[in-house]
Amino acid sequence: MSDHAETPSRGTDFIRQKVRADTAAGVYDGNVVTRFPPEPNGYLHIGHATAICLNFGVAEDFGGRCHLRFDDTNPEKEDEEYARAIQEDIRWLGFDWGEHLYFASDYFERMYECAVVLIEKGLAYVDSQPLEAIREGRGTVVQPGVESPYRSRTVEENLDMFRRMRAGEFADGTHVLRGKIDMAHPNMLMRDPVFYRIRHAEHFRQGDEWVIYPLYDYAHCLEDAFEGVTHSICTIEFENNRELYDWVLDNVGFQEPRPHQYEWAGLDLEHAVLSKRAILPLVKAGVVSGWDDPRLSTISAFRRRGVPPEAVRLLADLVGVSRAPARTEESKLEFAIREVLNPVAPRVMAVLDPIKVVLTNWDGTQPSELEAPYFPPDIDRPGSRMVPVGPELWIERSDFAEDPPKGFRRLVPGGEVRLRYAYVIRCDEVVKDESGEVVELRCTADLASRGGTTSDGRKVKGTIHWVDAGRAVDAEVRLYDRLFVDEVSEDENAEPLDPMDRLAPESLEVVHGVKVEPSVRKDDPETRYQFERVGYFWRDPVEGRGDTLVFNRIVGLKSGWRSPAKDAQARENGSDEGGKDRASGRSTGVSGRNEKSRKGGGPAPGTRPGVSEERSARRAADPALAERFRSYQEEMGLSEEYADLLSGRPETGDFFEAALAEHDDPETVSSWLVTDVRALLDGRTLEDLPFGGAEIGRLVGLVARGDVSRRAGKDVLARMAEDGGDPAEWVERLGLTRVGADELGPFVDRVLADWPDKVEAYRAGKTQLIGLFVGEVMKATGGAADPKAVRALLTERLDG
């Protein structure tokens, strides 16, 4: 297994193809100059990060340079603080502009001179209409605009007015400088665009020297030309601006070779809120702790959360460069983070919800410390630490069950479990407090099983993590989740909800009293760990770098997305570095919030279609496998890829056919096996799972019959992958039986009672809030309700 994901080959995207063609043709004398031009009016977000990677990456690939230029042409919103933060973000990502740091405001005099050139050519004029009249006069996409009554001013009048605008004679909004192009142009941006406006405001670098400021469409093309930029890379929303970019440069007098603009789709990351307008109210209201709150998608938030910069660069490579807009799954970002952290993050043990274990036969003659490696055997990396061990330990409360479900493989009364790196223990007695809560487990250790191997060869299936009760260190752990609830709406044209209306009440969970092995005390505070069976963590750089240990969860252990390179191996045996994310007893990434139900027996996202040579070789040597491959396609109608996956080994085919014996729908059963079950293998083969094909077949049948929702079925599968058991029993135990329409009333009434301000807003006309209510009812029912029935009842209650 390689340490890093296979990424799209650099040089194959259309931007690099164009740059390569230009350099081969000797355009720009072979020089390549790009630029990253942020406005210093806020903090950069993950979308900016991919643009940084593209611009600096193209320059690096072709031996050129990338400029950092601040587009500081809006004095009322810009600040030196933002400029410093942007530079810090870019350096953190691993890029450097060297001596090429520029500010648009340094070009104000040259831009003014260029505007004078356009006026003298009769291609710009001072318009004295109110801005509202200018906007209305532009017309619509089907109606031409109306020429301004000031369009006929003479060159001399315009030069005089423009000079007086600069001198500060006029108030804000009284005059603008417009390009004189074509008020009937099909591209509305070409209908006499505004180039300059009056702003009597203090500029953070120029002070009050200037009172007229250029607008973006006029300024940024000139800035590119002044700096000798060769390829000006913008996101796709600026595609229509390219015509104006060219018009300004051509008419000011820049000759070829001059800069040219190219557009790409940028990053649209699932569940990320990237708009400054959306984030600023959250900061001002104290909903988040600042622009670096780890729940946000700003670069500073990623940095504080502990995301390594290499992971952001890897994400940029995985997403690639395209002109076609496409949403990037959140799980792809999480994959990139794990892919970077897995080979370098030392493993340590931490218990988030501790319950005490007392080893009653511990006599003090045993070693007080055990050596434990920092890395598993499949990561060829040295390093170990000494882990204290004694008569009292902490384990996770969820790793003990007094009344265990079928297939539970951890500690139970009278049962055994293996302590990671230590001994096999047996639970002999359960101690409870007055309320009946378990407070202590009294156990016997097999003191001959140090390292986990029993002397008599008996098999102990479960392994759990632990820490020494006497020497563990206390810590606070912060578990971050999505900041906003999902919006559920059947109306694609509905107005999106205000972010303040979609805040998730459980986006941050602070866990106190976490017990961590003491080795972390001596480590560099920059160390990123894998807490075994929990997730990846690091010390909060703001509040966790002193004596108090505060750890942020960077990402969980489970991934719903695989790189193409890893997928071939993963389809065969699920190989991955994973584990269970047991923070707060949840198994995140397993229930599939980022995975989507798929039909038709087609390839899963991220997979590479085709037939494995290795599996083909097995079938050539085994006629029974070859027959399965044929029948799965010809008789069951599966795709070639699905048939290949399911007939690669006898055990896989047996598992599939055992599932079919319980639910005879090859298309649906194969989809569950190839997508859902495979995502849960977590380094295991099918034979290692605590359930068989029959159980998955029964689960698929429950979903198909409508006894349980698809979402709830995935939750059941996650529990089965951990503890085995019958799916019907899990459905009953977890209360996941589908909620009938006649049972929805109490859930709907409770949600409406919990959100009285939103109910009032809905009835006042903000009907798009219906999506929020549907999402909350679905959450309250554990996904066990029919969303259409929920919507209908909500509408009845709210409109009645």
Side-chain angles (χ1 to χ4, degrees):
M1 184 191 311
S2 63
D3 284 344
H4 295 286
E6 178 181 289
T7 58
S9 175
R10 275 193 172 182
T12 60
D13 63 73
F14 75 97
I15 294 287
R16 288 178 169 87
Q17 289 175 5
K18 174 59 179 172
V19 176
R20 180 173 290 106
D22 286 347
T23 55
V27 183
Y28 310 112
D29 295 326
N31 295 320
V32 174
V33 182
T34 60
R35 86 287 179 270
F36 178 65
E39 183 179 358
N41 65 349
Y43 293 86
L44 300 183
H45 55 62
I46 185 64
H48 292 118
T50 55
I52 291 167
C53 292
L54 175 59
N55 279 283
F56 279 89
V58 166
E60 179 183 339
D61 289 350
F62 292 92
R65 67 179 187 269
C66 182
H67 297 178
L68 172 58
R69 180 208 310 141
F70 286 105
D71 185 18
D72 57 336
T73 58
N74 191 348
E76 295 164 315
K77 296 183 178 181
E78 296 160 354
D79 194 276
E80 180 67 31
E81 172 194 348
Y82 297 130
R84 289 194 300 268
I86 288 170
Q87 293 179 64
E88 182 181 2
D89 287 344
I90 297 173
R91 289 194 177 100
W92 176 77
L93 282 170
F95 300 106
D96 193 350
W97 51 90
E99 61 185 18
H100 299 287
L101 173 63
Y102 303 105
F103 290 83
S105 57
D106 291 339
Y107 305 131
F108 279 175
E109 188 66 46
R110 296 178 69 181
M111 290 182 197
Y112 178 85
E113 293 169 357
C114 290
V116 169
V117 169
L118 293 176
I119 294 172
E120 290 174 341
K121 289 184 175 182
L123 296 176
Y125 65 97
V126 174
D127 194 345
S128 303
Q129 295 183 99
L131 289 178
E132 185 61 33
I134 292 175
R135 279 192 290 266
E136 291 177 356
R138 284 209 175 98
T140 67
V141 291
V142 295
Q143 292 181 323
V146 177
E147 292 188 356
S148 166
Y150 300 97
R151 201 173 193 263
S152 59
R153 276 176 167 156
T154 65
V155 169
E156 290 73 19
E157 287 178 300
N158 285 315
L159 287 173
D160 178 64
M161 290 289 292
F162 191 48
R163 178 189 60 76
R164 294 167 65 193
M165 285 171 60
R166 174 178 178 171
E169 291 187 23
F170 306 114
D172 291 2
T174 53
H175 308 286
V176 297
L177 182 72
R178 299 177 69 179
K180 185 186 289 188
I181 305 178
D182 182 357
M183 291 302 293
H185 200 289
N187 182 350
M188 291 185 64
L189 292 176
M190 299 295 286
R191 295 180 185 178
D192 288 11
V194 175
F195 288 164
Y196 272 90
R197 80 285 201 210
I198 301 172
R199 286 289 184 273
H200 289 270
E202 186 85 5
H203 189 281
F204 77 97
R205 296 187 74 251
Q206 302 293 338
D208 58 1
E209 182 177 349
W210 290 87
V211 296
I212 57 172
Y213 288 90
L215 274 72
Y216 172 84
D217 280 326
Y218 173 76
H220 98 281
C221 56
L222 291 175
E223 295 157 13
D224 288 344
F226 296 156
E227 294 175 13
V229 168
T230 58
H231 299 82
S232 181
I233 305 171
C234 301
T235 45
I236 199 69
E237 65 264 29
F238 293 101
E239 181 176 19
N240 290 337
N241 303 60
R242 187 190 334 133
E243 190 171 6
L244 182 53
Y245 183 105
D246 293 336
W247 186 93
V248 171
L249 292 185
D250 289 342
N251 286 285
V252 166
F254 286 95
Q255 303 294 317
E256 295 287 359
R258 62 162 176 80
H260 286 273
Q261 176 179 301
Y262 306 92
E263 306 87 24
W264 67 301
L267 177 71
D268 180 11
L269 182 63
E270 184 181 44
H271 303 298
V273 177
L274 306 181
S275 165
K276 296 186 184 78
R277 283 190 296 262
I279 297 174
L280 186 58
L282 304 178
V283 176
K284 289 184 174 179
V287 173
V288 294
S289 60
W291 290 86
D292 66 346
D293 188 296
R295 292 169 290 180
L296 297 176
S297 297
T298 59
I299 297 179
S300 56
F302 275 48
R303 185 165 63 246
R304 180 172 179 181
R305 191 172 117 199
V307 174
E310 298 87 349
V312 178
R313 299 200 300 267
L314 176 58
L315 175 68
D317 284 341
L318 292 170
V319 172
V321 180
S322 171
R323 284 185 57 82
R327 174 151 291 196
T328 297
E329 296 167 314
E330 183 182 39
S331 54
K332 189 174 289 188
L333 167 63
E334 294 175 348
F335 169 86
I337 297 171
R338 294 184 192 94
E339 190 73 2
V340 170
L341 290 179
N342 180 51
V344 299
R347 275 60 168 172
V348 298
M349 294 186 290
V351 177
L352 274 63
D353 185 14
I355 184 173
K356 182 170 285 188
V357 168
V358 176
L359 302 180
T360 57
N361 64 329
W362 191 272
D363 59 14
T365 62
Q366 297 77 25
S368 62
E369 291 183 319
L370 301 174
E371 185 175 9
Y374 274 127
F375 299 95
D378 63 328
I379 296 177
D380 186 18
R381 197 178 183 92
S384 64
R385 80 281 189 192
M386 300 306 294
V387 179
V389 59
E392 295 186 353
L393 312 172
W394 296 114
I395 67 169
E396 294 283 0
R397 187 171 295 274
S398 60
D399 281 337
F400 171 76
E402 190 172 16
D403 181 22
K406 184 179 178 180
F408 187 80
R409 294 192 174 196
R410 286 163 282 158
L411 194 60
V412 300
E416 291 186 317
V417 74
R418 182 183 297 105
L419 299 178
R420 182 79 160 144
Y421 310 119
Y423 304 94
V424 172
I425 63 171
R426 183 186 68 245
C427 180
D428 301 318
E429 183 182 353
V430 178
V431 180
K432 301 180 180 180
D433 63 14
E434 294 179 355
S435 66
E437 182 179 358
V438 177
V439 295
E440 183 176 293
L441 304 174
R442 294 181 178 171
C443 302
T444 302
D446 180 350
L447 298 176
S449 65
R450 179 180 170 187
T453 304
T454 58
S455 58
D456 59 4
R458 68 186 186 278
K459 293 184 177 180
V460 179
K461 295 183 177 180
T463 300
I464 63 175
H465 62 282
W466 56 278
V467 294
D468 181 80
R471 286 171 282 181
V473 294
D474 288 326
E476 175 185 305
V477 162
R478 297 173 181 178
L479 307 174
Y480 297 99
D481 208 336
R482 293 179 190 156
L483 186 57
F484 301 103
V485 298
D486 290 330
E487 187 175 347
V488 181
S489 176
E490 295 174 358
D491 182 4
E492 295 182 356
N493 297 316
E495 181 183 348
L497 290 177
D498 185 291
M500 296 294 285
D501 293 326
R502 296 176 48 227
L503 291 172
E506 299 176 353
S507 61
L508 169 61
E509 181 178 355
V510 179
V511 185
H512 299 283
V514 173
K515 309 297 184 181
V516 186
E517 63 175 79
S519 63
V520 301
R521 276 289 188 195
K522 63 179 177 59
D523 291 337
D524 186 322
E526 298 284 334
T527 303
R528 295 172 175 88
Y529 300 97
Q530 184 189 113
F531 287 176
E532 297 203 49
R533 303 173 68 233
V534 180
Y536 291 98
F537 292 79
W538 90 327
R539 292 177 67 175
D540 184 87
V542 177
E543 299 176 18
R545 295 297 171 91
D547 293 334
T548 302
L549 291 178
V550 179
F551 289 96
N552 296 334
R553 180 172 62 184
I554 305 169
V555 71
L557 292 175
K558 300 291 294 185
S559 177
W561 184 88
R562 294 183 186 277
S563 72
K566 281 195 170 183
D567 198 71
Q569 180 174 357
R571 285 177 301 195
E572 187 67 22
N573 59 15
S575 178
D576 201 349
E577 79 276 6
K580 304 297 184 297
D581 187 341
R582 300 180 184 276
S584 304
R586 292 191 295 268
S587 185
T588 63
V590 173
S591 59
R593 74 181 186 194
N594 293 315
E595 302 163 13
K596 298 193 170 48
S597 172
R598 301 178 60 259
K599 296 183 179 180
T607 64
R608 184 174 294 162
V611 175
S612 161
E613 293 182 3
E614 182 179 353
R615 287 189 286 272
S616 294
R618 291 192 199 129
R619 286 189 289 268
D622 187 342
L625 291 179
E627 173 58 20
R628 278 177 164 170
F629 183 61
R630 182 202 65 77
S631 67
Y632 291 171
Q633 296 177 81
E634 297 178 8
E635 298 173 14
M636 298 184 185
L638 301 186
S639 69
E640 181 182 53
E641 185 188 25
Y642 271 34
D644 174 50
L645 291 168
L646 296 172
S647 66
R649 298 185 304 136
E651 296 84 356
T652 307
D654 292 343
F655 194 99
F656 174 49
E657 291 174 15
L660 288 178
E662 295 292 330
H663 184 70
D664 191 14
D665 183 345
E667 179 180 319
T668 303
V669 171
S670 66
S671 178
W672 274 81
L673 289 182
V674 172
T675 57
D676 301 272
V677 174
R678 179 165 57 88
L680 298 178
L681 285 175
D682 193 23
R684 298 174 289 184
T685 63
L686 288 173
E687 302 90 271
D688 295 325
L689 292 173
F691 63 88
E695 284 78 15
I696 192 67
R698 288 198 287 273
L699 175 59
V700 175
L702 290 172
V703 175
R705 289 191 299 272
D707 296 336
V708 65
S709 70
R710 182 68 166 78
R711 172 183 167 183
K714 293 169 76 70
D715 291 336
V716 169
L717 179 60
R719 299 301 294 266
M720 289 170 57
E722 187 171 329
D723 297 315
D726 181 81
E729 293 178 6
W730 274 115
V731 169
E732 182 177 356
R733 185 182 182 92
L734 298 173
L736 295 177
T737 303
R738 182 180 285 278
V739 178
D742 57 341
E743 301 173 291
L744 284 174
F747 294 99
V748 169
D749 293 340
R750 190 181 314 130
V751 166
L752 296 181
D754 289 343
W755 297 83
D757 54 335
K758 300 299 187 289
V759 171
E760 183 179 349
Y762 175 95
R763 288 173 173 161
K766 206 169 185 179
T767 56
Q768 67 268 30
L769 283 167
I770 191 69
L772 171 68
F773 296 130
V774 172
E776 289 301 301
V777 174
M778 292 302 295
K779 183 190 299 182
T781 63
D786 180 352
K788 292 184 179 178
V790 171
R791 177 179 288 271
L793 185 56
L794 279 166
T795 303
E796 178 183 326
R797 292 277 207 276
L798 290 164
D799 295 343

